[in-house]
Amino acid sequence: MSRLMVIVPDRLTDIIKKGEFQPCYYNPGNLFDEVHLCSTTPDKPDLAALQHTVGTARLHFHVIPEDLDLCQRDWRRDNYAPLRQWARPGVELAARIQPNLIRLHGADWNIWVAKCIREELGIPFVVSLHINPDINQPRQYPGPNLEPHQIRHNEFFAYIQDEGLRAADLVMPVYEPIIPFLERVGVVSYKVCYNILDGQNLRPKERYDLAAPPRLLYVGRVFGDKNPEPIILALEQIPDATLTIVGDGPLRVPLEMMVQERNLQERVHFRPAVHNAELCRMLGEFDLFTIHTEYFELNKSLLEALLTGLPAVLNRRRGTPVPELAEANIVRFVDPTPDSYADAIRELLANHAGRAALGRRAAAHAQTRWAPALTEAKVVSIYRRFMR
């Protein structure tokens, strides 16, 4: 019987509520007979709601609770004895389960547990990394003028992250912009593995004639570096077109107020949460996919849109261009201003042949790089390679 141990730093209940899980997310190819999901948060998710993420495998759930007080104590003493003692329950759990492989999503408390298991029991682990921590680091306090406890906090999480990544049998960044960070911290074993998308519900866009009125779509959290305000303001220059914003965040309510003040409420629609399967099915119904982001990433929603052949309008970010998009000619780039978005959207809506060509070019490019069957087969091959 084959067993997979998956250790995550997330509250799975929150992800279930967002509807972001897809079939076999934690068990690609139905490769394993048992999947042991472990969270480092005090979470109690509905296992029935998680069963589809492991396919036909028998699902077990465990908690290895994090200890936020630890990072303020002397965790370096006696060759990191306090850190190793914290991970002890995870090592004992792995000794009982005897998994063939350990899989991590993200590099947080979970990666220190996997490192200790690897050292003591010899069980290999692979980890997917979903951000470039040099640029976007949710566990770090930002800014130069930090309090002593904030400095200790940052040093702790940087240490367990970097040490754990160097100890991994393979690191799987989900897009190329993560590679510079991996090379900086000395990770030598890595392979880009794009997110496995929902092959059951993503449907190729078949028609490029415009809806009446034209329909624009924005997908993503709404906060500082992912603020759709320039796209909303661009809509004032484009009569009749509508914009659907799928996503929630601290800017949603202020943006809803701005839409009301500008009398755009009939043309801008907010949907804070949409189940991922529904979102995938409805992508082809829109005419343009629009994004405003300063993140150094190739996010999942853009992967999905490009794979369906939905023409996309994306801003040029302030820093280094995202490698996958820099040369491919599969999106329409704009400056992050309302006027630039308006010009590009007007041009694409008016040019049927150009709009269709952009969408078809994007779909052809995406099919050769992150088609669901392709990415799933790649991950399954990696699992087989490292299974004990």
Side-chain angles (χ1 to χ4, degrees):
M1 176 177 288
S2 57
R3 299 180 182 91
L4 176 68
M5 186 176 183
V6 181
I7 315 177
V8 298
D10 309 305
R11 279 181 49 85
L12 300 178
T13 298
D14 296 340
I15 304 176
I16 291 170
K17 288 179 181 177
K18 294 178 183 178
E20 294 181 354
F21 281 131
Q22 60 194 50
C24 289
Y25 181 81
Y26 288 122
N27 190 17
N30 249 325
L31 183 60
F32 294 91
D33 302 307
E34 281 188 8
V35 176
H36 291 259
L37 271 174
C38 310
S39 175
T40 58
T41 71
D43 191 20
K44 294 182 179 179
D46 179 359
L47 295 191
L50 278 172
Q51 180 59 51
H52 74 290
T53 68
V54 300
T56 59
R58 184 180 302 169
L59 174 62
H60 304 266
F61 182 76
H62 314 272
V63 173
I64 308 170
E66 62 186 30
D67 179 6
L68 286 175
D69 292 333
L70 180 57
C71 61
Q72 298 300 324
R73 302 199 297 270
D74 185 11
W75 48 271
R76 293 185 177 89
R77 78 170 191 274
D78 301 329
N79 193 28
Y80 304 98
L83 256 177
R84 297 181 186 281
Q85 185 60 33
W86 169 80
R88 191 71 213 161
V91 176
E92 293 172 353
L93 176 63
R96 293 194 300 273
I97 295 170
Q98 285 296 308
N100 302 90
L101 180 69
I102 295 173
R103 168 73 151 94
L104 307 183
H105 292 257
D108 202 270
W109 290 93
N110 56 333
I111 203 165
W112 184 262
V113 178
K115 178 180 184 294
C116 292
I117 295 171
R118 182 77 171 85
E119 290 174 348
E120 186 162 336
L121 303 177
I123 301 171
F125 74 94
V126 297
V127 52
S128 60
L129 206 56
H130 301 258
I131 59 170
N132 181 323
D134 281 339
I135 298 174
N136 309 114
Q137 176 52 276
R139 276 292 196 176
Q140 297 283 334
Y141 287 102
N145 301 315
L146 299 179
E147 299 291 331
H149 75 279
Q150 295 173 321
I151 294 173
R152 288 193 295 271
H153 175 100
N154 287 1
E155 289 175 345
F156 176 87
F157 283 103
Y159 176 81
I160 61 173
Q161 169 191 266
D162 296 356
E163 285 292 309
L165 288 170
R166 285 190 288 267
D169 290 86
L170 184 71
V171 179
M172 302 185 294
V174 300
Y175 39 71
E176 290 183 29
I178 297 172
I179 292 176
F181 161 77
L182 297 177
E183 293 178 340
R184 183 185 68 75
V185 300
V187 174
V188 296
S189 182
Y190 62 81
K191 190 178 189 67
V192 174
C193 296
Y194 296 105
N195 282 304
I196 302 175
L197 304 180
D198 187 350
Q200 296 183 7
N201 292 291
L202 281 170
R203 300 168 179 173
K205 186 171 178 61
E206 297 177 350
R207 299 174 59 90
Y208 285 91
D209 47 326
L210 291 177
R215 304 180 65 192
L216 280 56
L217 177 65
Y218 179 98
V219 180
R221 286 199 68 227
V222 285
F223 64 103
D225 281 341
K226 292 188 176 183
N227 184 355
E229 180 177 329
I231 303 168
I232 295 172
L233 296 178
L235 213 66
E236 291 184 310
Q237 305 179 38
I238 307 168
D240 300 327
T242 66
L243 171 65
T244 299
I245 298 174
V246 175
D248 206 351
L251 291 181
R252 179 172 63 85
V253 173
L255 288 173
E256 288 176 332
M257 295 174 61
M258 185 188 78
V259 165
Q260 291 281 342
E261 292 167 357
R262 294 178 176 273
N263 199 30
L264 292 170
Q265 62 271 22
E266 297 300 320
R267 296 201 289 134
V268 179
H269 312 291
F270 290 87
R271 296 190 63 181
V274 175
H275 195 284
N276 187 251
E278 179 187 352
L279 177 62
C280 288
R281 288 193 296 267
M282 73 186 202
L283 282 171
E285 301 171 6
F286 287 84
D287 298 301
L288 290 178
F289 190 81
T290 56
I291 304 180
H292 174 230
T293 177
E294 292 298 339
Y295 267 44
F296 192 29
E297 66 174 357
L298 186 62
N299 62 33
K300 180 172 172 286
S301 60
L302 179 58
L303 291 177
E304 291 167 338
L306 297 177
L307 190 63
T308 63
L310 181 58
V313 178
L314 170 66
N315 64 290
R316 301 178 187 90
R317 63 182 299 277
R318 287 189 293 266
T320 306
V322 174
E324 287 95 338
L325 301 176
E327 305 293 338
N329 192 24
I330 55 174
V331 299
R332 174 67 156 84
F333 280 109
V334 298
D335 295 325
T337 65
D339 287 346
S340 189
Y341 274 102
D343 289 344
I345 293 169
R346 274 196 303 262
E347 174 191 318
L348 287 170
L349 293 181
N351 183 352
H352 172 77
R355 186 177 67 254
L358 180 62
R360 293 187 178 115
R361 203 160 54 238
H365 181 88
Q367 280 291 337
T368 65
R369 287 162 176 79
W370 54 81
L374 186 70
T375 51
E376 182 177 55
K378 186 175 185 179
V379 172
V380 169
S381 174
I382 288 170
Y383 284 8
R384 290 188 186 279
R385 173 184 165 198
F386 289 104
M387 283 173 64
R388 185 178 65 164

